[in-house]
Amino acid sequence: QTQLFGVLLAAASNFLISVSLNIQKCAHLRLVCQAEQKPYYTSKLWWCGITLLGLAEVGNFTAYGLAPITLVAPLGCVSVIGSAFISVFFLKKTMRTADILGGTLTITGIYLLVTFAPNVPQELTARQVQNYLVSWPFLVYSILEILIFCILLYFYKRKAVKHIVVLLMMVALLASLTVIAVKAVSSMVALSVKGKMQLTYSVFYIMSVLMATSCAFQIKFLNQAMHLYEATAVVPINFVFFTTSAIISGVIFYREFQSAALLSVFMFLFGCLLSFLGVIIIARNKKEERLQIPFIDCGHIPGQKLTGKIQPDSHCSCYGTLNKEEDLVKRQS
């Protein structure tokens, strides 16, 4: 029952994230349409979206303490399909065939994930986390991850390689540490609330620092990717990389598939594959929204007065004129 509640909480939280993002987008579009431009943080609608986003992240944090990482992480696809369908109502977008197909595949994948997910005890004590930290599978995994991250960081810093795969690979490697730390912190907090105090152990604060640090650098590289590439490319690749790294970290650190049957593992991986495919189909060929600016605003150039029209003239190669004596002399001649 605890694991089922964690699954439902994760699904609801990710759906709430999609609602939040669409509300924020709607707030930005409303502000752009207003005659008097105001900062986005003055919008009540935008603050409503941010509040929902905060609640959703708290729900996700709690879900990691109640259900396996290998189950909570793939449920991030709920926010993708939720956003695709909610945008039809919030932003008046057209429902595409790709959205329906991708949503169907993703929902089928989620069903397989929930059905064949590992059923392991989720109450993690501080002593268990300490034992996991010094286990040889995690030490080997950590060394390999650090080496790969350093190589990617070398190409990123020294060679100025800003390829989307390089950026999102670094995000995924950091994300694997983030989900390990989040689950540990969430579990220890939950046990402490129940009366089994875990906050006196140093490992709790070590994992808290690891969670905050890895999350901060993860956001940095993800923002870099969003700045350089379109969201339609970043979202599906990031989801696939993040989910894969989270599943691997859950298997290695928390040993979540240690006693699972081969059929269960195969069906779980097949569910992940369907979810990946569904998210890619939804994001594929999705056009980026860009604000259409029908003219060049030259009305705020310091020290210049606008005398000509701004709209392009079909018989002229210029878009407007400024009040300069040289231009007037040329026109008279």
Side-chain angles (χ1 to χ4, degrees):
Q1 291 182 351
T2 302
Q3 181 168 314
L4 179 60
F5 179 72
V7 170
L8 294 175
L9 184 60
S13 298
N14 282 292
F15 181 76
L16 201 59
I17 288 174
S18 64
V19 175
S20 165
L21 295 177
N22 278 279
I23 288 176
Q24 291 179 63
K25 182 70 174 178
C26 187
H28 283 296
L29 293 176
R30 283 189 182 182
L31 288 171
V32 168
C33 295
Q34 290 179 359
E36 183 183 355
Q37 296 298 313
K38 296 180 180 180
Y40 62 88
Y41 50 79
T42 60
S43 170
K44 292 180 181 179
L45 188 62
W46 183 82
W47 278 109
C48 177
I50 287 295
T51 303
L52 291 177
L53 183 61
L55 291 173
E57 292 301 340
V58 171
N60 263 330
F61 176 81
T62 307
Y64 275 107
L66 301 174
I69 289 177
T70 49
L71 183 54
V72 175
L75 289 177
C77 61
V78 173
S79 64
V80 178
I81 61 173
S83 183
F85 287 94
I86 292 172
S87 61
V88 175
F89 303 99
F90 272 96
L91 305 176
K92 308 301 181 183
K93 291 186 179 180
T94 306
M95 178 67 69
R96 306 175 306 155
T97 306
D99 294 333
I100 299 172
L101 176 61
T104 304
L105 288 174
T106 307
I107 291 170
T108 306
I110 290 172
Y111 173 77
L112 292 176
L113 289 172
V114 174
T115 304
F116 295 98
N119 189 7
V120 293
Q122 295 306 310
E123 285 195 349
L124 289 167
T125 63
R127 291 191 179 278
Q128 284 178 307
V129 175
Q130 287 175 347
N131 293 333
Y132 289 148
L133 279 173
V134 296
S135 63
W136 70 264
F138 178 68
L139 292 176
V140 172
Y141 173 73
S142 300
I143 293 170
L144 288 175
E145 187 173 83
I146 290 170
L147 285 175
I148 295 171
F149 186 82
C150 288
I151 292 170
L152 293 172
L153 192 62
Y154 170 78
F155 282 104
Y156 173 76
K157 288 286 187 183
R158 297 293 183 182
K159 302 296 183 180
V161 177
K162 301 292 193 297
H163 195 274
I164 187 171
V165 173
V166 173
L167 290 169
L168 295 183
M169 273 289 289
M170 288 193 290
V171 171
L173 292 173
L174 291 167
S176 66
L177 297 178
T178 303
V179 295
I180 286 173
V182 166
K183 182 170 182 61
V185 172
S186 178
S187 298
M188 285 187 276
V189 168
L191 283 176
S192 299
V193 171
K194 292 177 181 178
K196 302 176 183 178
M197 181 54 64
Q198 304 292 313
L199 307 187
T200 55
Y201 292 88
S202 58
V203 69
F204 171 78
Y205 301 97
I206 293 172
M207 299 305 277
S208 296
V209 171
L210 178 63
M211 177 181 68
T213 306
S214 60
C215 189
F217 282 102
Q218 183 184 335
I219 292 170
K220 170 183 166 31
F221 290 120
L222 185 58
N223 283 337
Q224 179 85 43
M226 291 294 289
H227 177 71
L228 295 174
Y229 301 94
E230 292 185 352
T232 52
V234 174
V235 169
I237 296 175
N238 181 58
F239 172 70
V240 172
F241 283 6
F242 168 80
T243 305
T244 303
S245 68
I247 290 172
I248 292 172
S249 63
V251 169
I252 293 175
F253 189 86
Y254 292 111
R255 305 166 190 177
E256 293 183 345
F257 274 105
Q258 192 172 20
S259 58
L262 185 61
L263 178 62
S264 296
V265 175
F266 175 78
M267 294 304 293
F268 179 86
L269 294 176
F270 184 63
C272 286
L273 182 63
L274 288 181
S275 298
F276 293 163
L277 187 60
V279 170
I280 291 170
I281 289 174
I282 289 174
R284 188 173 61 93
N285 298 328
K286 205 170 189 178
K287 295 181 180 179
E288 286 281 313
E289 288 190 1
R290 300 186 184 276
L291 295 175
Q292 299 296 324
I293 304 176
F295 60 87
I296 301 172
D297 187 2
C298 299
H300 299 290
I301 299 178
Q304 300 291 348
K305 184 179 179 181
L306 189 66
T307 59
K309 57 189 175 181
I310 299 299
Q311 292 289 357
D313 190 349
S314 59
H315 302 291
C316 180
S317 61
C318 61
Y319 282 83
T321 57
L322 296 173
N323 189 11
K324 289 185 179 180
E325 293 182 1
E326 297 177 1
D327 295 336
L328 293 174
V329 171
K330 287 179 182 179
R331 284 190 175 189
Q332 289 176 356
S333 62

